[in-house]
Amino acid sequence: ERVSRKHIKCRADIDMLTVPLLRIYESLIPPKEEKEKQMQLLTSLEKLVVNEWPHAHLCLFGSCANSFGVSNSDVDVCLVLRDADIDKSEILLKLAEILQSANFQNVQALTRARVPIIKLKDPVTGVSCDICINNVLAVVNTKLLRDYAQIDVRLPQLAFIVKHWAKSRGVNETYQGTLSSYAYVLMCIHFLQHRDPPILPCLQEAKIVTYQQIVDNIECAYFDQVEKLKTFGSDNKESVARLVWGFFHYWAYCHDYANTVVSVRTKNTVSKRSKDWTRRIGKDRHLICIEDPFETSHDLGRVVDKYSIKVLREEFERAATILQAYPNPCEKLFEPF
Ligand code: ATP
Ligand code: MG
């Protein structure tokens, strides 16, 4: 039954939904003051850090720096220490002590997490923040996402709507086996790279490399002069509404979950077999495969299990059906689960 809907045509009046969808997008954009508060917090954190580790610095990453941040998101901060040979837990515990004495609220050091972090809340700005150590790949993938967002505004528009949908429907919780915001943005980029004509290029496949860094033995290289690509997608005239419909339709009825991996790194089809992601290995089931653009051995879908894959696919189908058939789908689409 899933396969038979593959060739359904989009409703004739789909473009009418662009106005209400863009209204939602605009309501999610953080106001200017929020950026200022985040910078204020970063400055006060940096003072404390440099006081203890003179050669350290802080970088923003995640949604406050990748241009996919909705209003009131947490701030993700990376503490960069020159010395690679450090005990992260020890540093985090020391930093937690310093932050506590500086009167930050709810300071918690999660030293046993896959990515060890400190969580805190700034009483001055009210902003919540996670701090990790030497997670330079995350800083680099943040830049890649930010660069993609500059090329065609339909990417941030689609991604904000998808993130808002995922949060409203409870499918943006990695600890419950659904997908991270980072994974959803990669799914949006991949989708726009494969429109006909394409709306986004594949920056890692460009002939000219203008940005290059080796991080944790991984070469991160791509074309980052995106101001030269502003017209890349202009031959494609699809409206945001059509793309939102197309996104959910793709994930509901067209994606080959059994055989293919979503990758923004290349325009070629990447098979699960080529990555040996065809069977369960340990806890990783590879039921939906989304390749990290740089750490290509990392499947962002590995958190998905046999229960949550069902939840996800039913949510994609629900969204596709609502967009296809409801006269005023916007309210229903984002209805809390
Ligand atoms: P939100 O607005 O929901 O906080 P976000 O963009 O900050 O969205 P998160 O999923 O919180 O997204 O991830 C923060 C950043 O951490 C991402 O932008 C990415 O750089 C990095 N990241 C997150 N998950 C992974 C992962 N599984 N592998 C590699 N990097 C990741
Ligand atoms: Mg975040």
Side-chain angles (χ1 to χ4, degrees), residues 5 7 11 14 18 22 38-39 52 54 67 104 110 126 160 175 177 183 186 201 204 234 262-263 281 293 306 322 325:
R5 298 198 191 181
H7 301 289
R11 66 199 279 174
I14 186 75
T18 290
L22 284 184
Q38 292 172 353
M39 296 321 287
E52 179 71 27
S67 53
F104 282 100
L110 308 178
F160 270 53
Y175 67 93
L186 292 174
Q204 291 171 272
S234 56
V262 164
S263 168
I281 299 175
K306 63 179 176 181
I322 290 170

Side-chain angles (χ1 to χ4, degrees), residues 153-317:
V153 70
R154 287 171 288 183
L155 170 60
Q157 289 168 344
L158 171 65
F160 270 53
I161 289 163
V162 168
K163 275 179 68 171
H164 180 51
W165 162 84
K167 285 183 208 287
S168 311
R169 300 299 303 165
V171 287
N172 182 205
E173 309 285 357
T174 47
Y175 67 93
Q176 287 177 354
T178 55
L179 298 168
S180 66
S181 297
Y182 177 55
Y184 282 113
V185 176
L186 292 174
M187 288 156 78
C188 292
I189 294 172
H190 175 267
F191 173 74
L192 297 179
Q193 286 174 331
H194 290 267
R195 300 310 289 167
D196 182 21
I199 293 179
L200 292 178
C202 177
L203 293 175
Q204 291 171 272
E205 244 173 14
K207 289 192 196 78
I208 309 169
V209 167
T210 54
Y211 173 86
Q212 196 166 20
Q213 271 225 54
I214 294 176
V215 183
D216 306 339
N217 287 322
I218 294 170
E219 176 170 47
C220 306
Y222 66 96
F223 181 78
D224 76 337
Q225 295 176 0
V226 284
E227 64 287 348
K228 296 189 179 147
L229 296 172
K230 290 270 184 206
T231 56
F232 181 90
S234 56
D235 289 340
N236 182 310
K237 310 284 184 211
E238 289 177 290
S239 69
V240 170
R242 196 171 289 267
L243 294 171
V244 172
W245 176 86
F247 179 87
F248 289 117
H249 183 78
Y250 173 79
W251 285 101
Y253 310 118
C254 308
H255 181 67
D256 182 358
Y257 287 80
N259 299 301
T260 60
V261 172
V262 164
S263 168
V264 305
R265 170 180 59 88
T266 167
K267 282 209 74 172
N268 299 332
T269 306
V270 177
S271 71
K272 285 171 68 164
R273 185 141 20 112
S274 71
K275 309 204 55 123
D276 203 17
W277 285 352
T278 47
R279 63 213 146 84
R280 176 174 174 172
I281 299 175
K283 272 177 126 182
D284 300 356
R285 290 179 176 84
H286 304 299
L287 298 173
I288 173 172
C289 296
I290 302 153
E291 181 195 64
D292 186 87
F294 300 119
E295 205 181 355
T296 55
S297 63
H298 185 36
D299 175 8
L300 296 163
R302 69 182 180 187
V303 289
V304 176
D305 59 40
K306 63 179 176 181
Y307 302 104
S308 58
I309 187 69
K310 203 161 162 276
V311 172
L312 273 171
R313 294 188 65 169
E314 279 170 8
E315 282 297 332
F316 291 135
E317 286 174 31

